Amino acid sequence: MRTKTLDQLAALQKTPSNVRNICILAHVDHDEDKYLINLIDSPGHVDFSSEVSTAVRLCDGAVVLVDVVEGVCPQTHAVLRQAWLENIKPVLVLNKIDRLVLELKMSPLEAHIHLKQILEQVNLLTNELFTSEAMEKTSTEIDKLQRSTSREADPQSYDWTTLEDEDENMENKNIYFSPDQDNVVFASALDGWGFRISHFAELWAQKLGMSNKVLQKTLWGDYYLNVKNKRVMKGAQSKGKKPLFVQFVLEQIWAVYDAIVISRDKEKTDKIVKSLKLKVSARDTRHNDPRIQLQAVTSQWLPVSSAVLAVVVDTLPSPLQMTEERVEKLMCSHIQRFDSLPEQTQHLKQHFLSCNPTTDTPVIVFVSKMFPVERWQLPQNKQRPLTEEELQIRRDIARKRHAEKMAFEEGKTDTNTEDSETADTPPEEVPEAATNGVAIEAGEASSDLGGHVFIAFAHVFSGTVKKGCTLYVLGPKHDPGKVLDKPDLEGEITPGMTVRDLSSSQHITRFTVKDLYLFMGQHSRSVWSYRSYKVPTDNILGIGGLEDHILKSGTISSTVACPAFTEMFFDADPIVRVAIEPAHPGDMTAVIQGLKLLNQADPCVQVLVQETGEHVIITAGEVHLHRCIEDLQERYAKVEVSASAPIVPFRETIIDPPKIDRVNEAIQDQNQPIKAAITREGETEEEDALEEGLIEVYTSNRKCVLHVRAAPLPESVTCLLSNHPTIIKSLEQNTTARFSDKSECESEVKMNTATIEALKDLKAKLKKEFEHSGDFWNDAVDQIWSFGPRRNGPNILLNRIPGYQRPSVWSSIEKSTCSMQCQNFDSSVVNGFQMATLSGPLCDEPMIGVCFVVEKWDYVNVESSSVKSRTKRSGQPQVNGEVKVSSRSRTAADCDEKLDCDSPEEDSHVSKQKQVAFGPFSGQLMSCMRDGCRRSYQAQPQRLSVAMYKCTIQATTEVLGKLYAVLGKRNGRVISEEMREGTQIFSVQATLPVIESFGFAQDIRKKTSGLASPQLTFSHWETLDIDPFWTPTTEEEYTHFGEKADSDNRARTYMNKVRKRKGLKVDEKIVEHGEKQRTLTKMK
């Protein structure tokens, strides 16, 4: 039943216990109560998982749909994970059961077994999420018990299984899906039917005279009915009996399908309709399509809308049931403890839980995305029906004008001035009359109805949002602890200030609410104005006028004590990028404006302007990319654009020297020269290797020397670093804070207990893996200098400089007593390492799995360094890589105050440079470190790592061969294949390079005639086992590959493509191995 007036919706919004935020705004009747259901739909494709994240943040519950034929897909994993991380309760709908009957031809018993298997798979995913979170909570609970004054329980014996086994309110906290708990709906949306166990339990309880509660618990499971005793017994499978679910539920549904669709037996159909007491129209009965007849019967017998509505109202929580854990997750990041927030901020927690819409309650609103709407579609720019009062005013005006006209024609006296003024009512007071009874309000109508405006899609968590109220927009870096202490805060926040006007230290703007909206209908274009001018707490709404204050998402509040909400979790990171340019150069301005709109409208897309001037968009996948380009052309820029070939990221790495060549022959000489052919312009190509893998580099003024070695990280260590970038980033942030003279206690308070435990666990795992990797990695954990790139990447810098004992990066999580002081120019060495790992020498892509070791850091005088360089060029004898000259050199640890130089003037000059942390010498040392890392990297066997998709494909037996052919052509690799029991469908798991995936879905559908459909999700980085610089050298390689070796080298092909795109030097010939050809004039 649909709401007729907005006043009824306003009344429902004031009752939070009867609000369910799951998705389309509608008013429905449930028994005697009325409920408001906010239904937010989201796409099912994995490329659009960001839309799921924005929807989940605004909701209190979720309806998860699973196709019973395809089973658990990658998107099922993503959806359940996102719902779990946001602490919202899901219900399960097993859809498309009709396909089990008509396509797979399953019997009711086979269908029962199949449904049980799917339910077990979904519960397995839920159990994995629960177990991982429960293990993290264990350390937190232990810490709370240890700090508690009461010692009644032993902290070491904390049992996290109480959530499942011993909680008195188990029914409200159960995490699993089970039909006997009424949180599972069996449905066929196409045929319009759906049911819960409770429906058939109530039906059969009346017929059999049994207890409804008994049937509710036994209708799903291994139970059967003993007809003689009329008792429900356990062990149907072992005794060869029909389970109750098969006998009382599935056989009834199968009988309806058999009579109407399969057999088309009119007598049976009429008998079923009569026994179910249904009223089917004669038109539906005579229809030639049996599915129309089936839908007419099943939609009345088991309406799917009623089943879904019942499970939403009965199972999913109302806003009043929001948990404290969810509130703390929204207000506090995982690296910070909630009790470390200011007291005023902590008090806001009660406003979240109370759902109080009074005026004195602080307003707290979260905007999950910016919704683009064309300006002419706004309610104030549309004609609307007139009210009775407005119609009466217009009738009176029309009568007066008619009377004046008749009086003028008859020569009567002119209308007095007072009547004239009344007749000429200004448009601002009375809208202009319309012949069809509708009008546009002149005060609200916009003169320019072209272009787009953005409406903020938001959820009110506290207070009431009213038109005309002034609220703060809090940026993602807003810190209430810093702002609350400012006495002149209001003076800093200038009215009318937008995001573009803020400085790097400002994160707050202010705006006045002008327009409030409710979204109604099945299409995104259906936007209706909210006429009561206010929206109470725990409702979903749209807010206009925020496009200059919020880019993608943000927090709005009436108090600056409210923190910025934590970032939303996106399951799929943007990985595919293309360069966009207009088809006609004159449309460049429209394209730039369109890209700004696209960046603000899509929560996952990223829009960048590269150093070359190219405008680049980064998307989650091929389907997402096509959608973005289509929206850009048709909605935002409205001009034709051209896109470059997809740009896929790569990674650069090194490996241990190989022991066999490409023809599986043992390599005798493993010494490989430094690849200096593709060094950057201006880089020195001289050999600076002191020994195998050890490189010596000097600063430009020859005052400082570094010895750098590169080594490949163990694969297990690389995986650990790649899987924990967030906590590594928090470690670096706390380490930086400690170096900036912040006390140890202050740093510890800001770190969450769970984060500290996670860091300790990471350190223990790294230490264990290093110990199992050889003697080279002894004490490597304590020698870690930095992580890179961006200080949280899968590369590390080790400090093995004699005499330099710098503080450990782990000191922020340990009770360290050492002084937190680093050597001068320590940051320059780290920054040089960050630059090197961010842009490798192969094709300027980031590195992965590389360890750089600094074994020497000395300051020398000019004479010794120049003598050494001359000796090296002249070939004079050296001992252990050093020239025996009379010179003074001091380590970095010894040179705190000044450098040793030949002259006092030079000594004072260099000392002055050294005292300036960001002076010329710091830049020289940074470049020196970067060059040392690059050259030591090139001294090792270099490899290219490619991004890999995990490809899940479901196909029938007859198209498997064609499927494998398409995968092999695109360098894919099949991991596993499993046949679903009771079907002829194979589930194939494969890996596919991202760079080879474009057009893969269309190609595979074409080759298999649409019988195979892939789903691609990003999986991992895989190293190509091919040297980009490989050329045949041995006799066996010449025999196998030929002198030309013209077979494709995948690594070199990928590398050259990237270098060409970036404008780097490519070492290739246009004509290679050219042969004499006949000319056009002499055909001989």
Side-chain angles (χ1 to χ4, degrees):
M1 178 179 176
R2 191 177 182 85
T3 302
K4 295 182 179 179
T5 65
L6 292 172
D7 294 334
Q8 294 178 352
L9 289 177
L12 287 173
Q13 287 182 332
K14 297 178 181 179
T15 311
S17 60
N18 288 3
V19 175
R20 298 293 185 275
N21 293 320
I22 59 169
C23 253
I24 303 175
L25 189 60
H27 155 247
V28 293
D29 291 331
H30 184 73
D31 296 332
E32 297 180 358
D33 296 327
K34 295 182 178 180
Y35 288 84
L36 182 66
I37 309 296
N38 293 325
L39 183 66
I40 305 175
D41 194 13
S42 59
H45 197 279
V46 291
D47 282 3
F48 300 100
S49 60
S50 59
E51 299 292 344
V52 178
S53 301
T54 58
V56 163
R57 175 56 67 91
L58 301 183
C59 296
D60 303 306
V63 179
V64 180
L65 272 72
V66 175
D67 188 333
V68 295
V69 176
E70 296 182 359
V72 176
C73 300
Q75 183 66 352
T76 311
H77 292 248
V79 169
L80 289 175
R81 187 184 305 110
Q82 288 168 322
W84 186 272
L85 292 175
E86 290 289 343
N87 283 77
I88 67 171
K89 187 174 183 179
V91 293
L92 181 65
V93 176
L94 297 177
N95 193 25
K96 300 186 180 179
I97 297 182
D98 58 290
R99 296 182 63 186
L100 301 181
V101 186
L102 302 177
E103 293 183 18
L104 302 183
K105 309 295 183 182
M106 286 186 177
S107 66
L109 183 59
E110 293 172 342
H112 178 232
I113 297 174
H114 183 74
L115 293 174
K116 286 177 61 178
Q117 292 175 347
I118 292 178
L119 198 59
E120 289 173 357
Q121 294 174 7
V122 177
N123 283 331
L124 179 61
L125 297 178
T126 308
N127 182 69
E128 292 176 355
L129 296 170
F130 167 71
T131 305
S132 61
E133 183 177 359
M135 296 297 289
E136 293 179 1
K137 284 184 178 180
T138 304
S139 59
T140 306
E141 295 295 332
I142 290 176
D143 182 72
K144 289 182 179 179
L145 290 174
Q146 287 176 343
R147 288 181 295 159
S148 177
T149 55
S150 61
R151 302 295 181 181
E152 297 179 359
D154 182 12
Q156 301 299 328
S157 61
Y158 172 75
D159 186 11
W160 49 265
T161 59
T162 53
L163 177 63
E164 180 181 359
D165 298 330
E166 301 176 9
D167 200 310
E168 296 179 357
N169 299 323
M170 176 61 191
E171 294 181 359
N172 298 328
K173 294 188 177 181
N174 197 290
I175 62 172
Y176 298 107
F177 300 105
S178 180
D180 58 0
Q181 296 177 9
D182 264 358
N183 58 4
V184 178
V185 175
F186 302 90
S188 171
L190 179 63
D191 294 333
W193 61 266
F195 64 90
R196 295 189 297 171
I197 287 292
S198 57
H199 175 84
F200 280 94
E202 182 180 356
L203 177 66
W204 285 103
Q206 297 175 358
K207 289 186 176 182
L208 300 177
M210 300 178 63
S211 172
N212 188 3
K213 292 183 178 180
V214 173
L215 283 179
Q216 176 74 24
K217 294 181 179 180
T218 59
L219 203 54
W220 176 265
D222 191 26
Y223 298 95
Y224 72 96
L225 178 64
N226 190 327
V227 182
K228 295 181 180 180
N229 302 329
K230 289 188 177 182
R231 294 182 60 185
V232 176
M233 310 293 291
K234 194 171 185 179
Q237 183 177 1
S238 60
K239 297 179 181 179
K241 303 290 185 178
K242 288 183 180 179
L244 291 180
F245 188 75
V246 175
Q247 183 178 0
F248 291 159
V249 179
L250 293 184
E251 286 187 351
Q252 316 306 316
I253 297 175
W254 259 244
V256 173
Y257 273 88
D258 179 70
I260 301 177
V261 180
I262 300 175
S263 301
R264 298 193 180 186
D265 192 330
K266 191 175 185 307
E267 295 182 0
K268 285 186 178 180
T269 303
D270 295 339
K271 185 177 179 181
I272 290 173
V273 172
K274 185 177 180 180
S275 63
L276 295 176
K277 299 179 182 180
L278 304 177
K279 295 181 180 180
V280 181
S281 64
R283 179 181 178 182
D284 293 334
T285 305
R286 294 192 300 266
H287 205 285
N288 295 328
D289 189 354
R291 296 301 287 266
I292 300 297
Q293 301 179 24
L294 178 68
Q295 293 170 6
V297 173
T298 56
S299 61
Q300 295 184 51
W301 176 35
L302 302 170
V304 65
S305 58
S306 299
V308 175
L309 171 62
V311 75
V312 166
V313 171
D314 297 338
T315 307
L316 296 183
S318 70
L320 288 172
Q321 297 171 296
M322 179 182 289
T323 62
E324 294 185 5
E325 183 180 5
R326 188 187 179 197
V327 176
E328 293 181 2
K329 279 190 174 182
L330 292 175
M331 299 179 64
C332 183
S333 63
H334 67 282
I335 65 173
Q336 195 175 13
R337 289 215 312 261
F338 182 76
D339 56 8
S340 66
L341 298 175
E343 291 187 4
Q344 298 181 34
T345 303
Q346 297 182 40
H347 292 332
L348 295 177
K349 177 180 176 180
Q350 298 302 322
H351 297 296
F352 276 87
L353 301 175
S354 63
C355 300
N356 190 355
T358 57
T359 56
D360 57 344
T361 304
V363 176
I364 301 175
V365 181
F366 179 75
V367 177
S368 68
K369 69 175 295 185
M370 300 298 289
F371 188 83
V373 178
E374 294 186 13
R375 194 180 299 274
W376 64 269
Q377 292 180 344
L378 294 177
Q380 58 265 34
N381 297 330
K382 281 187 174 183
Q383 292 181 340
R384 61 174 178 81
L386 297 177
T387 62
E388 290 294 334
E389 293 80 3
E390 292 173 335
L391 287 174
Q392 185 63 37
I393 293 174
R394 293 181 183 227
R395 293 190 191 103
D396 295 341
I397 294 174
R399 291 192 190 101
K400 290 181 180 180
R401 289 180 177 175
H402 180 71
E404 291 173 1
K405 183 178 179 181
M406 296 299 295
F408 178 77
E409 291 178 355
E410 294 175 2
K412 294 182 178 182
T413 58
D414 296 334
T415 306
N416 54 37
T417 307
E418 182 179 354
D419 293 337
S420 299
E421 292 177 355
T422 306
D424 298 332
T425 305
E428 290 78 10
E429 299 178 9
V430 180
E432 184 179 353
T435 58
N436 57 357
V438 294
I440 299 178
E441 296 183 7
E444 297 181 7
S446 174
S447 58
D448 182 14
L449 300 183
H452 288 78
V453 294
F454 281 93
I455 298 177
F457 197 33
H459 182 171
V460 183
F461 285 92
S462 175
T464 299
V465 181
K466 299 180 180 179
K467 292 186 66 174
C469 66
T470 301
L471 301 175
Y472 297 105
V473 180
L474 310 176
K477 295 184 179 180
H478 167 65
D479 187 357
K482 297 179 180 179
V483 176
L484 291 173
D485 298 334
K486 292 184 178 181
D488 56 341
L489 178 62
E490 293 296 329
E492 294 183 4
I493 307 175
T494 306
M497 181 181 295
T498 64
V499 176
R500 302 179 184 88
D501 303 327
L502 297 178
S503 63
S504 58
S505 60
Q506 293 177 318
H507 309 290
I508 304 176
T509 60
R510 186 167 52 191
F511 83 107
T512 301
V513 180
K514 295 182 179 179
D515 297 311
L516 298 176
Y517 302 94
L518 293 181
F519 298 95
M520 301 179 63
Q522 61 181 345
H523 300 292
S524 60
R525 295 182 179 180
S526 300
V527 182
W528 291 71
S529 178
Y530 192 85
R531 309 307 299 177
S532 66
Y533 300 97
K534 63 179 181 180
V535 179
T537 182
D538 290 304
N539 284 280
I540 294 175
L541 78 160
I543 306 176
L546 284 174
E547 55 265 20
D548 294 331
H549 298 270
I550 297 177
L551 178 61
K552 292 179 181 288
S553 62
T555 307
I556 302 174
S557 179
S558 59
T559 172
V560 294
C562 177
F565 277 36
T566 56
E567 296 181 358
M568 293 181 290
F569 171 77
F570 294 107
D571 189 71
D573 295 329
I575 192 173
V576 179
R577 62 176 67 192
V578 295
I580 300 294
E581 63 180 6
H584 305 286
D587 297 331
M588 192 64 198
T589 304
V591 171
I592 294 176
Q593 184 63 27
L595 288 174
K596 292 180 180 179
L597 296 175
L598 175 65
N599 185 41
Q600 195 166 14
D602 196 311
C604 187
V605 74
Q606 296 180 9
V607 178
L608 306 174
V609 180
Q610 293 187 333
E611 296 177 355
T612 58
E614 292 179 304
H615 290 79
V616 173
I617 60 174
I618 313 175
T619 60
E622 185 181 8
V623 178
H624 188 205
L625 173 63
H626 291 165
R627 177 60 187 270
C628 290
I629 295 177
E630 182 180 348
D631 287 345
L632 184 63
Q633 294 185 130
E634 298 179 1
R635 297 190 62 183
Y636 304 130
K638 293 185 178 180
V639 296
E640 185 179 355
V641 300
S642 59
S644 66
I647 304 170
V648 178
F650 289 88
R651 295 292 183 267
E652 302 180 20
T653 186
I654 57 178
I655 62 172
D656 292 320
K659 298 181 180 179
I660 58 175
D661 57 15
R662 295 196 63 188
V663 291
N664 295 329
E665 295 290 337
I667 298 178
Q668 300 297 330
D669 186 9
Q670 296 184 1
N671 295 329
Q672 298 189 6
I674 297 178
K675 308 295 188 305
I678 60 170
T679 52
R680 296 183 175 211
E681 295 181 3
E683 286 188 354
T684 308
E685 298 185 3
E686 62 178 284
E687 297 289 340
D688 291 333
L690 301 177
E691 59 184 55
E692 183 180 350
L694 183 63
I695 299 298
E696 180 184 58
V697 286
Y698 282 86
T699 56
S700 300
N701 60 3
R702 312 295 289 184
K703 295 288 184 180
C704 180
V705 61
L706 293 174
H707 289 183
V708 184
R709 184 190 302 274
L713 280 175
E715 185 176 355
S716 56
V717 174
T718 304
C719 292
L720 280 174
L721 298 178
S722 300
N723 295 334
H724 300 84
T726 307
I727 61 174
I728 294 176
K729 184 177 181 179
S730 64
L731 175 67
E732 286 282 349
Q733 290 176 349
N734 278 271
T735 304
T736 305
R738 292 168 69 89
F739 285 145
S740 59
D741 297 332
K742 288 191 177 181
S743 64
E744 184 178 351
C745 295
E746 182 181 359
S747 299
E748 273 195 30
V749 168
K750 290 188 175 182
M751 289 189 69
N752 195 334
T753 306
T755 305
I756 295 176
E757 293 298 327
L759 287 170
K760 292 181 178 179
D761 182 62
L762 175 63
K763 181 182 178 182
K765 291 180 179 178
L766 287 175
K767 186 175 182 180
K768 181 180 178 181
E769 297 299 335
F770 279 132
E771 289 176 352
H772 289 80
S773 301
D775 297 337
F776 180 80
W777 304 104
N778 290 339
D779 300 328
V781 173
D782 297 326
Q783 296 171 351
I784 294 179
W785 199 336
S786 179
F787 301 91
R790 300 183 178 91
R791 298 183 181 272
N792 64 340
N795 306 283
I796 62 175
L797 176 66
L798 296 185
N799 170 30
R800 292 184 178 175
I801 304 172
Y804 183 27
Q805 300 295 328
R806 73 181 305 276
S808 172
V809 294
W810 310 101
S811 56
S812 58
I813 62 173
E814 297 174 345
K815 301 297 182 180
S816 177
T817 58
C818 63
S819 59
M820 301 302 297
Q821 293 182 357
C822 291
Q823 192 63 40
N824 291 338
F825 304 111
D826 182 281
S827 60
S828 297
V829 177
V830 173
N831 290 336
F833 162 75
Q834 299 293 336
M835 294 168 59
T837 53
L838 184 62
S839 177
L842 288 180
C843 48
D844 273 4
E845 292 290 312
M847 296 183 186
I848 183 172
V850 182
C851 171
F852 293 102
V853 183
V854 181
E855 298 186 359
K856 184 179 180 181
W857 180 9
D858 280 3
Y859 294 98
V860 298
N861 56 27
V862 179
E863 181 181 358
S864 63
S865 61
S866 60
V867 170
K868 180 174 179 177
S869 60
R870 291 194 304 268
T871 307
K872 184 174 182 179
R873 289 192 297 267
S874 62
Q876 294 184 10
Q878 304 180 29
V879 179
N880 294 329
E882 295 187 0
V883 185
K884 294 299 183 179
V885 295
S886 177
S887 63
R888 294 175 293 173
S889 66
R890 310 183 76 177
T891 64
D894 300 330
C895 298
D896 287 341
E897 302 299 334
K898 56 184 179 180
L899 299 170
D900 288 335
C901 300
D902 290 343
S903 63
E905 297 179 359
E906 192 173 8
D907 181 54
S908 61
H909 175 66
V910 177
S911 298
K912 192 175 297 183
Q913 286 186 343
K914 192 174 190 309
Q915 292 173 1
V916 181
F918 299 96
F921 184 76
S922 62
Q924 295 179 28
L925 185 57
M926 195 183 306
S927 300
C928 177
M929 181 62 188
R930 183 202 65 184
D931 295 342
C933 291
R934 291 171 65 92
R935 294 177 188 176
S936 61
Y937 173 93
Q938 291 177 300
Q940 302 292 337
Q942 305 171 73
R943 293 293 184 269
L944 206 61
S945 292
V946 296
M948 301 294 291
Y949 273 141
K950 179 183 178 182
C951 182
T952 303
I953 311 172
Q954 295 189 358
T956 56
T957 311
E958 54 268 19
V959 298
L960 279 181
K962 298 178 180 178
L963 170 65
Y964 294 156
V966 176
L967 283 171
K969 180 181 177 182
R970 294 176 176 266
N971 298 310
R973 184 176 68 256
V974 176
I975 299 176
S976 65
E977 58 177 18
E978 296 179 357
M979 187 174 184
R980 295 187 179 273
E981 295 184 7
T983 68
Q984 296 183 354
I985 298 177
F986 277 85
S987 179
V988 180
Q989 302 285 339
T991 57
L992 183 72
V994 175
I995 195 172
E996 303 282 359
S997 65
F998 301 100
F1000 173 70
Q1002 292 82 353
D1003 192 12
I1004 204 170
R1005 291 193 186 102
K1006 181 179 179 181
K1007 297 294 184 182
T1008 61
S1009 302
L1011 297 178
S1013 179
Q1015 285 189 331
L1016 303 176
T1017 55
F1018 178 75
S1019 175
H1020 63 286
W1021 295 92
E1022 185 173 296
T1023 301
L1024 294 178
D1025 193 19
I1026 307 174
D1027 188 350
F1029 304 97
W1030 176 85
T1031 55
T1033 54
T1034 65
E1035 184 177 349
E1036 291 79 5
E1037 290 177 342
Y1038 277 117
T1039 303
H1040 185 76
F1041 296 101
E1043 293 185 1
K1044 299 179 181 179
D1046 49 6
S1047 59
D1048 290 338
N1049 184 336
R1050 286 176 57 201
R1052 189 174 187 86
T1053 302
Y1054 295 158
M1055 181 185 70
N1056 287 340
K1057 284 183 179 180
V1058 177
R1059 294 186 67 85
K1060 285 181 180 179
R1061 175 173 55 83
K1062 294 184 176 182
L1064 303 175
K1065 178 182 177 182
V1066 178
D1067 187 19
E1068 64 177 4
K1069 299 178 181 179
I1070 300 178
V1071 178
E1072 189 173 2
H1073 305 293
E1075 299 177 355
K1076 184 178 180 181
Q1077 300 179 2
R1078 292 177 297 179
T1079 62
L1080 296 177
T1081 56
K1082 296 182 180 180
M1083 303 298 295
K1084 296 182 181 180

